[in-house]
């Protein structure tokens, strides 16, 4: 008997697990993979086995691989964008002499200079 993916369990795993976790079994469609990604908060991985056409199932192995590569590319694009935004923010911060970070840096630098003069 095939029960499919237990959505409520995937959701709880995504909420409760402090580390990535793997849910095994129940996948029958690419939509199941999408559901796990969505409700698992990005922390739930899933195995796919007997549902694959290469093992006699109806789910195309090729489609699963294509879906996986699309997820990796989207993740890489998001990471690249986040890194670019962080770099731009950091550059703007250090370029602004009135920023809190630069004020603190200047205070530390002055304290170091005074300490060097005393010693």
């Amino acid at each position: 008997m095939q029960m499919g993916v237990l959505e409520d369990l995937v959701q709880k795993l995504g909420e409760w697990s402090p580390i990535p976790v793997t849910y095994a079994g129940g996948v029958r469609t690419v939509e199941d993979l999408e559901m796990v990604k969505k409700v698992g908060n990005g922390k739930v991985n899933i195995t796919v086995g007997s549902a694959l056409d290469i093992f006699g199932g109806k789910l195309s192995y090729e489609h699963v691989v294509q879906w996986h590569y699309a997820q990796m590319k989207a993740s890489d694009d998001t990471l690249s964008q986040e890194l670019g935004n962080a770099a731009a923010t950091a550059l703007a911060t250090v370029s602004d002499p009135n920023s809190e970070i630069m004020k603190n840096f200047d205070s530390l630098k002055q304290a170091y200079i005074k300490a060097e003069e005393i010693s």
Side-chain angles (χ1 to χ4, degrees), residues 1 4 11 42 47-48 92 107 117:
M1 178 169 128
Q11 183 177 10
T47 63
V48 182
S107 296
E117 290 172 356

Side-chain angles (χ1 to χ4, degrees), residues 53-71:
D53 57 359
I54 61 173
F55 297 121
K58 296 179 182 178
L59 181 58
S60 165
Y61 174 76
E62 185 176 328
H63 287 137
V64 171
V65 171
Q66 289 171 356
W67 179 86
H68 176 72
Y69 282 136
Q71 304 314 302

Side-chain angles (χ1 to χ4, degrees), residues 8-22:
D8 57 334
L9 178 56
V10 171
Q11 183 177 10
K12 288 182 183 351
L13 288 168
E15 289 173 12
W16 296 344
S17 181
I19 59 172
V21 64
T22 300

Side-chain angles (χ1 to χ4, degrees), residues 84-102:
N85 291 342
T89 301
L91 182 59
T93 300
V94 296
S95 299
D96 179 5
N98 295 319
S99 70
E100 276 307 304
I101 290 173
M102 292 311 293

Side-chain angles (χ1 to χ4, degrees), residues 2 13 20 32-33 35 37 40-41 59 69 75 90 92 94-95 116:
Q2 293 183 338
L13 288 168
D32 288 338
L33 299 172
M35 182 271 296
K37 177 184 169 193
N41 294 322
L59 181 58
Y69 282 136
S75 178
V94 296
S95 299
E116 284 291 309

Side-chain angles (χ1 to χ4, degrees), residues 66-88:
Q66 289 171 356
W67 179 86
H68 176 72
Y69 282 136
Q71 304 314 302
M72 288 174 47
K73 180 171 178 1
S75 178
D76 288 348
D77 290 347
T78 300
L79 180 59
S80 294
Q81 185 176 15
E82 289 174 359
L83 288 173
N85 291 342

